[in-house]
């Protein structure tokens, strides 16, 4: 029989990296990410999370990859995955880095220099709106903040400054990105002052291509910044998902970003950190520059270069900024060029294993031409990027306005096949734009004067080629700074009527071409109607009207469809709310979700973005509410456990196991869409662990409380005001006070019962003393002779009176009062005081009191005899007479037990005394092991006796001092 086939050996090969491929693990897990301290395989690059993903063995053989919650995800063979089994040839994209799965036993392929190397970038030096260091929308289990005037809906991300949330400003009903400053930064007074100052400066900026700062304020020690919500996020996220942008879209981004630079240049602001993560897009695709005005004070991380601290992101920083030199708009142009290089190629201009290697590229090397890494890029656009990335600032464009003119020219050639009819500068005020308009008007007049009639016009393509050819040097014209005082254009001859009509047509066409590209159908319809009215009579006006009517029909169809769709959405949501809420009671989450998923969904609803968003919000709200309730239940369980109410814990937590037994959610409503479902899974496990450990917690609680009670009992016994002294003095009033105070501090039922029962028996002891006094007064004593406990010879004397304080004994003079306290440590004398004393039988209550008094005195006598004999440093011998006296005392107590207390109370104290006697005698003989064994048995079997409580400190330490 042949040997089993050896399992294939797979390797991970990192593109554009000198390190050898890494073998997939035979056991365990291979973690991958940018944090060298936390992962097994470190990969640095733009969009690579500190701990990005992991690869491990799967059941049945082979390996599987799992995304660990990275912001930009894991792309395998062009598809974003949460987990995926790996095969030879799989291409894995982690941010800007590409990793290939290869056969470890196959011969290495021949090297090739033609394949473009993937980008290798570092983590951004700043974390801005839309960036995060944790999975998008995660809460870490944290609750959403309550902010006055805003309704916080969900977490967008976390960064160096704090957390960013999607919120609705309630007064205006507008969505905002709400940044909450981190506590560690809020505690820094200097930082807070800079933060507020820079934020207010940013709020004064107003431009359609700059992210707007709405407000900055402080409330109860927390600091907030509200800014425009860019719902499409930043371009770094886009690159992580798609690799690179289409050329036409990249040109639109470049145009919008350049307009923001024009505005920044006019305001004298240098951004210093332009990169894809700081270019954000709204719902209509407009690109805006984030954090203009917050400059480099906020969220910046220092980068080491030539022993200086610089600010910025290494992959996009200009050489002069990296050297710490003075910067201006041309530095931002360089960063914009590096950003464009990444947008159109999917990689950064310079890569390296360290920040120093990357900066060396900015200082000394030239990036690979775009014609090699992105052949689809037009030469005109490649020329703009190449000029932006020149090392010397003087070799770049002289101003943002000049750059914008060239960008608009290339954009028009790319999008329309012709240069722009009018060169305009964002923000207005540029005299170069006015000169361009004048030149265009002159050129238009000349062209209209010489062009053929309508019937003789060449095809559109010929017109485009001619127009392009007539401007073939336009790109070169702006490559150098314009003459600050250009010569005025030659005078234009007065136009005739035909020329005026042609100029009007040209003006209409120019106005048409200048319509914004991001208008909605309704906005474009209204704009076209306005143009048709303004240029009434022109040939173009009819076309404007026709297009406007076509758009109007489309708008009306959309409105009707929207109305129908809205009704369907509202009906479904009404049914969904009924599924989640039964009357006024919220259903358990799992049951509610199952009922909701069972609702029918039409194909139209499944692609309705409004429906999908509202369904997701409804489920997210239900999940969030359930999470809050479960956390409240866990908190209440903690409070119940502190009080020892373990049955309440079971009742409160058990239902959450079923409530969190979630159904299988569709991908659109899974963990990626509703990250808080992960919190539900975690809470279910936490609840289960609490329930599984309930009995152990109960045992620990009982043990802790019993130990505390034992210590409290022992402490109450000793001291000048302790129970022991009151017992020796037979001060029943003091005993009752001590026991009452002690009972109020005890916790366990057993300890409380012990103190309560003993305190209740004090009334019986008082009844016994009262019987003696009453019967003596009425002449009911059989005999009046009794042993005087104060006499060493145990002399017998006659009683001549009894009071609440003691017995009045006959002497040679008037009489001698023997107080009850004299009998406290003399059990035999106390026994003889009551024995056969009355002419009648004692009743049951009186017998219980006598038994308690004699038993307590026997215990007090035993303590007095042995307390000093247990420690090896105070050797002593317990004599036979002393042992007989102890035993006789307990035998005397037993005589009262059959008619009084239960015999086991006396027996337990007597057995404890016998063990103590054996331990003391073993100690005297040096038999320490026997002494320790007897003391252990005493503490284990008779810990609740009065004898042990008087001798122990609550832990057995006093009894064990001699061991």
């Amino acid at each position: 029989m042949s040997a089993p086939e050896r399992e294939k050996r797979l390797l991970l090969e990192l593109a554009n990296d000198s390190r050898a491929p890494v073998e997939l693990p035979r056991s365990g897990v291979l973690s991958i990410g940018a944090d060298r301290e936390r992962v097994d395989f470190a990969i640095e690059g733009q969009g690579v999370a500190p701990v990005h993903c992991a690869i491990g063995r799967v059941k049945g053989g082979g390996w599987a990859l799992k995304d660990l919650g990275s912001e930009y995800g894991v792309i395998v063979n062009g598809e974003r995955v949460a987990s995926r089994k790996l095969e030879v040839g799989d291409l894995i994209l982690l941010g800007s880095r590409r990793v290939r799965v290869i056969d470890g036993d196959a011969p290495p392929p021949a090297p090739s220099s033609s394949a473009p190397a993937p980008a290798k970038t570092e983590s951004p030096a700043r974390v801005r709106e839309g960036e995060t260091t944790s999975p998008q929308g995660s809460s870490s289990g944290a609750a959403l903040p309550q902010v006055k005037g805003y309704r916080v809906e969900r977490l967008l991300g976390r960064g160096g400054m704090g957390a960013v949330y999607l919120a609705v400003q309630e007064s205006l009903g507008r969505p905002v990105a709400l940044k909450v400053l981190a506590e560690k930064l809020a505690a820094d007074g200097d930082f807070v002052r800079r933060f507020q100052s820079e934020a207010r400066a940013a709020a004064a900026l107003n431009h359609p291509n700059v992210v707007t700062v709405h407000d900055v304020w402080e409330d109860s020690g927390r600091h907030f910044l509200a800014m425009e919500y860019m719902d499409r996020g930043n371009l770094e996220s886009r690159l992580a998902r798609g690799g690179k942008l289409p050329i036409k879209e990249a040109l639109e981004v470049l145009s919008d970003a350049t307009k923001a630079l024009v505005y920044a240049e006019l305001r004298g602001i240098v951004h210093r950190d332009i990169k894809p993560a700081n270019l954000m897009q709204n719902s209509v695709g407009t690109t805006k520059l984030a954090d203009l005005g917050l400059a480099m004070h906020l969220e910046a991380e220092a980068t080491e270069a030539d022993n200086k601290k610089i600010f910025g992101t290494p992959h996009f920083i200009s050489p002069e900024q990296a050297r710490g030199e003075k910067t201006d708009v041309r530095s931002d142009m360089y960063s914009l060029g590096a950003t464009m290089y990444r947008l159109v190629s999917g990689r950064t201009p310079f890569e390296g294993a360290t920040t120093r290697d990357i900066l060396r590229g900015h200082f000394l090397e030239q990036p690979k031409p775009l014609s090699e890494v992105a052949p689809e890029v037009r030469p005109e656009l490649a020329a703009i990027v190449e000029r932006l990335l020149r090392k010397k600032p003087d070799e770049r464009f002289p101003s943002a306005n000049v750059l914008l003119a060239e960008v608009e020219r290339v954009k028009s050639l790319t999008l329309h096949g012709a240069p722009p009819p009018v060169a305009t500068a964002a923000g207005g005020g540029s005299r170069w734009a006015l000169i361009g308009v004048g030149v265009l008007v002159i050129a238009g007049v000349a062209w209209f004067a010489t062009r053929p009639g309508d019937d003789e016009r060449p095809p559109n393509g010929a017109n485009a080629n001619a127009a392009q050819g007539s401007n073939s040097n336009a790109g070169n014209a702006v490559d150098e700074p314009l003459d600050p005082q250009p010569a005025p254009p030659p005078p234009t001859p007065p136009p005739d009527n035909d020329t005026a009509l042609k100029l009007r047509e040209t003006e209409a066409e120019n106005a048409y071409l200048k319509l914004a590209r991001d208008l909605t159908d309704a906005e474009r319809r209204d704009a076209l109607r306005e143009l048709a009215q303004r240029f009434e009579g022109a040939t173009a006006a009819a076309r404007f009207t026709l297009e406007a009517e076509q758009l109007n029909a489309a708008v009306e169809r959309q409105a009707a469809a929207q109305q129908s769709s809205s009704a369907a959405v509202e009906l479904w949501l009404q049914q969904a709310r009924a599924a989640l809420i039964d009357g006024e009671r919220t259903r358990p989450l799992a049951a509610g979700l199952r009922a909701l998923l069972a609702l029918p969904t039409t194909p139209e609803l499944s692609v309705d973005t409004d429906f999908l968003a509202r369904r997701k919000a409804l489920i997210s709200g239900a999940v969030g509410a359930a999470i809050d309730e479960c956390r409240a239940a866990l908190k209440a369980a903690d409070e119940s456990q502190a009080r020892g109410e373990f049955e309440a814990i079971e009742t409160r937590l058990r239902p959450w196991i079923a409530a969190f037994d979630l159904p299988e959610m569709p991908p659109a409503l899974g963990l990626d869409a509703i990250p808080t479902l992960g919190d539900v899974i975690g809470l279910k496990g936490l609840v289960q662990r609490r329930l599984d450990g309930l009995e152990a917690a109960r045992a620990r609680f009982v043990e802790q409380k019993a130990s505390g009670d034992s210590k409290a009992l022992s402490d109450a016994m000793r001291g000048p005001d302790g129970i022991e002294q009151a017992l020796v003095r037979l001060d029943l009033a003091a005993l009752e006070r001590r026991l009452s105070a002690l009972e109020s501090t005890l916790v366990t039922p057993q300890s409380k019962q012990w103190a309560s029962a003993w305190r209740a028996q004090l009334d019986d002891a008082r009844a016994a003393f009262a019987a003696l006094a009453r019967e003596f007064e009425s002449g009911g004593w059989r005999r009046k002779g009794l042993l005087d406990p104060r006499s060493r010879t145990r002399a017998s004397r006659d009683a001549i009176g009894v009071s609440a304080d003691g017995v009045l004994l006959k002497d040679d003079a008037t009489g001698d009062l023997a107080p009850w306290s004299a009998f406290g440590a003399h059990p035999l004398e106390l026994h003889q005081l009551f024995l056969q004393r009355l002419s009648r039988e004692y009743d049951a209550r009186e017998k219980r009191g006598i038994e308690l008094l004699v038993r307590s005195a026997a215990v007090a006598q035993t303590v007095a005899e042995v307390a000093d004999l247990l420690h090896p440093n105070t050797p002593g011998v317990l004599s036979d007479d002393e042992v007989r006296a102890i035993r006789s005392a307990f035998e005397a107590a037993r005589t009262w037990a059959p008619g009084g207390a239960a015999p086991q109370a006396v027996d337990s104290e007597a057995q404890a005394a016998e063990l103590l006697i054996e331990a003391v005698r073993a100690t005297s003989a040096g038999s320490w092991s026997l002494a320790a064994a007897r003391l252990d048995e005493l503490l284990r079997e008779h810990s609740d006796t009065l004898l042990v409580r008087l001798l122990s400190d609550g832990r057995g330490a006093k009894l064990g001092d001699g061991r």
Side-chain angles (χ1 to χ4, degrees):
M1 186 174 181
S2 62
E5 182 180 355
R6 185 171 66 88
E7 186 177 28
K8 184 178 296 184
R9 190 169 65 98
L10 300 187
L11 308 178
L12 289 181
E13 182 179 57
L14 178 61
N16 196 38
D17 195 281
S18 59
R19 288 179 289 178
V22 174
E23 183 176 356
L24 296 192
R26 294 291 177 178
S27 61
V29 173
L30 177 73
S31 57
I32 304 173
D35 191 335
R36 298 176 181 272
E37 301 297 325
R38 297 164 59 192
V39 299
D40 305 311
F41 185 30
I43 299 177
E44 294 180 343
Q46 190 75 10
V48 181
V51 182
H52 203 110
C53 62
I55 298 175
R57 297 299 300 269
V58 295
K59 187 176 181 180
W63 290 266
L65 176 147
K66 180 176 178 57
D67 184 6
L68 297 181
S70 60
E71 178 184 3
Y72 301 120
V74 177
I75 312 298
V76 179
N77 300 331
E79 177 187 359
R80 181 165 181 168
V81 299
S83 61
R84 174 79 168 261
K85 189 170 183 180
L86 297 178
E87 303 289 346
V88 173
D90 283 346
L91 178 62
I92 306 169
L93 180 64
L94 308 177
S96 63
R97 305 307 307 271
R98 287 173 170 79
V99 182
R100 178 78 68 177
V101 181
I102 63 175
D103 187 347
D105 298 321
S112 172
S113 61
S114 61
K120 178 179 180 179
T121 65
E122 293 189 345
S123 301
R126 304 183 189 178
V127 182
R128 301 185 183 271
E129 179 71 30
E131 296 181 64
T132 181
T133 58
S134 63
Q136 182 73 5
S138 65
S139 75
S140 15
L144 295 176
Q146 301 296 316
V147 184
K148 184 178 181 180
Y150 292 81
R151 184 176 71 254
V152 181
E153 295 189 346
R154 61 185 172 89
L155 178 68
L156 293 175
R158 295 186 184 275
M161 279 187 67
V164 181
Y165 298 87
L166 171 60
V168 176
Q169 187 177 1
E170 294 177 332
S171 61
L172 299 177
R174 68 178 172 188
V176 299
L178 185 66
K179 183 173 292 186
V180 183
L181 198 63
E183 291 183 3
K184 64 179 180 180
L185 297 179
D188 185 342
D190 291 337
F191 181 91
V192 169
R193 284 190 290 273
R194 292 199 306 270
F195 168 77
Q196 293 175 338
S197 175
E198 297 285 355
R200 291 189 179 98
L205 304 178
N206 183 17
H207 190 272
N209 296 110
V210 174
V211 175
T212 303
V213 173
H214 297 310
D215 196 8
V216 62
W217 74 100
E218 182 267 346
D219 185 14
S220 301
R222 296 189 301 170
H223 295 269
F224 304 94
L225 178 71
M227 64 182 66
E228 182 180 5
Y229 173 52
M230 306 296 288
D231 45 2
R232 288 194 183 179
N234 64 64
L235 291 179
E236 186 58 44
S237 300
R238 173 81 178 276
L239 293 172
R241 295 191 299 268
K244 56 185 177 179
L245 299 187
I247 299 302
K248 292 183 178 181
E249 187 174 354
L251 269 168
E252 293 288 354
V253 170
L254 178 59
S255 175
D256 288 347
T258 304
K259 292 173 184 175
L261 282 190
V262 171
Y263 179 73
E265 186 178 21
L266 289 173
R267 299 297 296 261
I269 298 172
V270 181
H271 191 284
R272 295 183 177 86
D273 199 18
I274 293 177
K275 57 187 176 183
N278 278 337
L279 294 177
M280 311 190 73
Q281 291 186 326
N282 61 16
S283 58
V284 296
T286 301
T287 301
K288 301 192 180 189
L289 182 59
D291 283 4
L292 182 63
L294 298 185
M296 68 181 183
H297 290 296
L298 307 182
E299 300 181 293
E301 293 180 358
T303 301
E304 292 284 348
D306 299 331
N307 299 320
K308 298 178 182 179
K309 293 285 186 178
I310 62 172
F311 295 88
T313 304
H315 287 89
F316 305 95
I317 197 170
S318 69
E320 63 270 25
Q321 184 178 343
R323 287 191 292 266
E325 298 171 358
K326 185 177 181 180
T327 59
D328 56 20
V329 70
R330 294 171 298 177
S331 175
D332 283 346
M333 288 186 193
Y334 184 98
S335 299
L336 181 58
T339 297
M340 279 301 297
Y341 192 101
R342 172 140 169 76
L343 294 181
V344 299
S345 70
R347 54 179 290 166
T348 52
F350 303 107
E351 301 165 358
T354 65
T355 298
R356 191 173 296 277
D357 293 338
I358 298 168
L359 295 181
R360 186 180 296 111
H362 288 298
F363 293 148
L364 304 174
E365 301 170 6
Q366 295 298 324
K368 287 188 178 181
L370 283 176
S371 58
E372 293 182 19
V373 297
E376 69 275 16
V377 175
R378 287 179 66 101
E380 296 87 345
L381 177 57
I384 292 177
V385 176
E386 186 275 331
R387 186 172 179 183
L388 290 173
L389 288 174
R390 290 180 184 174
K391 306 297 182 187
K392 297 180 180 180
D394 290 341
E395 295 178 354
R396 302 169 201 151
F397 293 92
S399 71
N401 262 323
V402 175
L403 169 62
L404 181 61
E406 179 63 3
V407 170
E408 292 300 309
R409 185 187 73 83
V410 173
K411 187 175 78 167
S412 183
L413 285 173
T414 303
L415 301 180
H416 308 297
V422 179
T424 60
S430 173
R431 59 195 179 97
W432 307 117
L434 296 177
I435 293 171
V437 171
V439 172
L440 179 61
V441 171
I442 295 170
V445 172
W447 182 74
F448 272 112
T450 58
R451 72 186 179 99
D454 291 343
D455 296 336
E456 299 174 349
R457 291 178 184 172
N460 292 336
N463 275 338
N465 292 337
Q468 183 174 346
S470 66
N471 290 277
S472 59
N473 294 324
N476 297 329
V478 295
D479 280 354
E480 301 300 332
L482 298 180
D483 185 352
Q485 295 182 349
T492 304
D496 55 21
N497 291 337
D498 184 59
T499 300
L501 290 175
K502 291 174 181 177
L503 284 174
R504 184 170 173 78
E505 293 287 352
T506 302
E507 186 181 356
E509 292 294 340
N510 287 341
Y512 178 81
L513 291 174
K514 288 167 65 176
L515 289 178
R517 297 173 56 83
D518 58 357
L519 296 178
T520 65
D521 286 350
E523 291 170 340
R524 186 172 180 84
R525 174 200 62 193
D526 295 340
L528 286 169
R529 285 175 174 173
E530 191 275 331
L531 288 181
Q533 183 177 1
R534 183 167 25 131
F535 295 103
E536 185 178 2
T539 304
R543 191 175 83 252
F544 299 161
T545 300
L546 177 61
E547 183 179 345
E549 293 309 314
Q550 292 172 340
L551 286 172
N552 186 63
V555 168
E556 290 178 349
R557 288 194 300 271
Q558 291 170 3
Q562 181 64 35
Q563 184 176 4
S564 174
S565 175
S566 297
V569 169
E570 291 300 334
L571 176 61
W572 191 94
L573 290 174
Q574 182 179 357
Q575 295 172 338
R577 293 188 190 97
L580 293 173
I581 302 175
D582 182 12
E584 297 182 356
R585 183 177 61 86
T586 302
R587 292 182 188 271
L589 181 62
L593 290 179
R594 288 188 179 91
L596 184 144
L597 293 176
L599 295 176
T601 304
T602 64
E604 291 77 14
L605 284 180
S606 64
V607 294
D608 187 311
T609 54
D610 177 60
F611 165 75
L612 296 177
R614 295 177 69 181
R615 179 181 67 170
K616 178 180 173 183
L618 179 65
I619 295 177
S620 296
V623 172
I627 289 172
D628 291 342
E629 290 180 27
C630 183
R631 286 174 176 160
L634 284 167
K635 182 179 179 180
D638 290 339
E639 295 169 354
S640 295
Q641 182 167 323
R643 296 190 298 268
E645 299 169 354
F646 290 91
E647 292 77 9
I649 298 175
E650 175 79 21
T651 303
R652 183 171 284 114
L653 295 186
R654 179 64 65 183
W656 287 103
I657 299 299
F660 281 174
D661 186 15
L662 301 181
E664 183 176 355
M665 304 295 287
L669 298 173
L671 278 173
D672 290 338
I674 306 178
T676 49
L677 288 173
D679 295 341
V680 170
I681 297 171
L683 280 173
K684 180 183 178 184
L686 177 59
V687 169
Q688 187 62 61
R689 289 193 295 274
R690 288 291 299 274
L691 291 172
D692 292 343
L694 206 55
E695 287 305 316
R698 190 197 308 269
R700 288 194 302 271
F701 177 86
V702 171
E703 181 180 356
Q704 291 169 358
K705 296 305 179 183
S707 177
D709 280 0
S710 181
K711 183 68 166 59
L713 283 164
S714 178
D715 291 343
M717 293 290 173
R718 291 186 296 279
D721 296 326
I723 292 175
E724 181 178 1
Q725 290 303 315
L727 188 66
V728 169
R729 296 194 302 269
L730 278 183
D731 187 347
L732 301 184
L735 271 175
E736 184 166 18
R737 289 195 301 272
R738 305 291 187 274
L739 289 170
S740 180
L742 174 64
E743 187 179 352
S744 66
T745 65
L746 299 176
V747 177
T748 60
Q750 297 87 342
S751 299
K752 280 183 172 291
Q753 175 62 27
W754 186 88
S756 175
W758 194 22
R759 183 167 59 86
Q761 293 177 62
L762 293 180
D763 286 338
D764 298 337
R766 291 191 186 92
F769 281 133
L772 287 178
R774 188 173 54 253
E775 293 297 325
F776 187 91
E777 186 70 21
S778 63
W781 277 34
R782 287 185 181 180
R783 50 190 178 84
K784 296 186 179 180
L786 52 86
L787 297 176
D788 186 352
R790 299 168 299 177
S791 171
R792 290 179 176 273
T793 61
R794 301 185 67 190
S796 177
R797 301 175 65 184
D798 289 339
I800 59 176
V802 180
S803 69
D805 297 323
V807 180
L808 187 64
L809 300 179
K810 182 178 181 180
D811 62 3
D812 296 337
T814 58
D816 181 17
L817 179 66
W820 299 128
S821 59
F823 294 88
H826 300 280
L828 294 179
E829 285 79 354
L830 192 60
H831 168 67
Q832 192 268 343
L833 172 66
F834 289 99
L835 184 64
Q836 297 178 354
R837 182 64 57 189
L838 304 184
S839 301
R840 65 173 175 84
E841 287 291 328
Y842 291 102
D843 62 25
R845 183 184 184 191
E846 292 165 348
K847 287 182 179 180
R848 289 197 302 270
I850 298 170
E851 185 274 333
L852 173 66
L853 291 170
V854 178
R855 169 163 46 95
S856 300
V859 170
Q861 178 184 354
T862 305
V863 171
E865 295 289 355
V866 304
D868 296 330
L869 304 179
L870 290 171
H871 199 283
N873 295 330
T874 57
V877 178
L878 192 63
S879 67
D880 292 342
D881 289 341
E882 291 170 332
V883 170
R884 280 194 295 272
I886 292 172
R887 290 171 177 168
S888 297
F890 285 106
E891 285 301 323
R894 279 195 177 96
T895 62
W896 299 100
Q904 59 264 30
V906 181
D907 291 341
S908 183
E909 296 287 354
Q911 291 167 11
E914 287 296 329
L915 288 171
L916 186 59
I917 291 169
E918 292 184 38
V920 169
R921 286 187 161 181
T923 301
S924 301
S927 301
W928 303 114
S929 59
L930 178 60
R934 291 295 177 264
L935 290 175
D936 284 340
E937 184 179 357
L938 174 62
L939 291 171
R940 186 176 62 254
E941 301 296 336
H942 302 285
S943 60
D944 60 345
T945 60
L946 178 61
L947 178 62
V948 170
R949 295 195 188 282
L950 287 172
L951 289 172
S952 172
D953 65 353
R955 299 166 297 167
K958 186 173 180 181
L959 287 175
D961 279 345
R963 286 179 286 172

